[in-house]
Amino acid sequence: MAHIIVVGNEKGGAGKSTVSMHVATALSRMGHKVGCLDLDLRQRTFGRYTENRRKFCDKSALSLPGPTYHELPEIDAATLQEGENIYDVRLASAVAILEPDNDFILIDCPGSHTRLSQVAHSLADTLVTPLNDSFVDFDLLARIDADGEKILGPSVYSEMVWNARQLRAQAGLKPIDWIVVRNRLGAQNMVNKEKMGNALDRLAKRIGFRTAPGFNERVIFRELFPRGLTLLDLKDIGVKQLNISNVAARQELRDLIKSLNLPNVSVDF
């Protein structure tokens, strides 16, 4: 069965689509078959990212390894059984289509609470939650006191993940491996950065996730999106010498893939 990776939280601007595209492309370049879904039916940032890639490759006569993107299938409401939710059926149908032909299914969730996102989290073998290195984003996981020291209790997103874990346990499925990815880390070892790290370490033990380093804020990510490219494609499009920032970004991606500890994945890029 395909291993399902869900990239989600309930806040926009955390880098979910950037993480999704880079993880999916890295796996594809390592020889794995990857099918992808974008559950943000309104903005479709991840979907547009993959469309941009296809158009760029067609225009440039290039064949770059990458994931296969699929839209959620349309379902005739008249065919639903009593009590069935149309979004549940659409997502289940998409996964059923992708599963036989892929090693991994990567699902990018919207930055808000939706029925699709809720169901997707219950399907996750691996859950990746990108988080900006800020207590504004931390509040999505847990409430904390004014000093940033004491955790007062889990917040809305953590509660949703807990519910997803309960559903998986009831279905006899293996537990979710939950990884919180710290994005946009500051270059300097500032007090806020240290407080965030300590708070995440305490919360990780309390509600059961692992932490992993993500991507620093880099202009390159904004430049790659219109062409649907990733850091791993630069040499294939004629960039002969990577600058220091790009080399560092590739290392960040390598470290992230290693941290995910996905089955049968040996990082070799």
Side-chain angles (χ1 to χ4, degrees), residues 57-241:
C57 287
D58 290 345
K59 182 179 179 180
S60 307
L62 289 173
S63 179
L64 298 175
T68 303
Y69 177 75
H70 293 260
E71 298 281 358
L72 289 184
E74 295 294 336
I75 301 292
D76 184 354
T79 65
L80 297 176
Q81 301 295 317
E82 184 177 354
E84 280 188 323
N85 182 289
I86 192 167
Y87 292 110
D88 296 7
V89 176
R90 290 182 71 187
L91 181 53
S93 299
V95 170
I97 292 168
L98 293 175
E99 200 156 38
D101 299 321
N102 289 284
D103 303 308
F104 295 94
I105 299 172
L106 191 145
I107 303 175
D108 189 25
C109 292
S112 60
H113 181 81
T114 66
R115 174 75 181 193
L116 277 172
S117 182
Q118 186 177 7
V119 175
H121 279 68
S122 68
L123 300 176
D125 297 305
T126 298
L127 172 60
V128 181
T129 300
L131 196 73
N132 290 331
D133 211 48
S134 154
F135 278 107
V136 175
D137 280 35
F138 185 90
D139 190 64
L140 191 73
L141 297 177
R143 293 174 287 110
I144 200 163
D145 68 359
D147 295 325
E149 298 290 343
K150 183 178 180 182
I151 295 170
L152 305 178
S155 196
V156 288
Y157 182 71
S158 295
E159 291 174 352
M160 187 180 78
V161 176
W162 186 86
N163 289 332
R165 284 171 159 167
Q166 293 297 106
L167 289 173
R168 287 181 66 86
Q170 292 169 12
L173 300 173
K174 63 181 181 181
I176 298 171
D177 184 17
W178 184 13
I179 303 101
V180 172
V181 174
R182 295 179 69 183
N183 264 348
R184 299 190 172 103
L185 286 166
Q188 298 176 344
N189 188 20
M190 296 176 291
V191 173
N192 180 75
K193 180 179 176 181
E194 183 178 356
K195 280 189 174 183
M196 270 289 295
N198 291 336
L200 280 170
D201 288 343
R202 291 194 297 273
L203 187 61
K205 296 174 183 177
R206 181 166 172 175
I207 63 177
F209 59 77
R210 300 188 286 117
T211 58
F215 300 131
N216 283 334
E217 183 67 45
R218 300 184 190 278
V219 175
I220 185 66
F221 292 119
R222 294 191 291 274
E223 294 176 341
L224 292 172
F225 173 80
R227 292 175 291 173
L229 299 175
T230 70
L231 295 165
L232 302 179
D233 303 313
L234 296 179
K235 291 186 177 180
D236 288 337
I237 64 169
V239 179
K240 296 180 180 180
Q241 186 68 41

Side-chain angles (χ1 to χ4, degrees), residues 45-60:
T45 304
F46 183 40
R48 292 204 317 278
Y49 207 145
T50 60
E51 288 172 10
N52 294 346
R53 186 180 187 83
R54 176 179 54 79
K55 291 176 181 178
F56 176 80
C57 287
D58 290 345
K59 182 179 179 180
S60 307

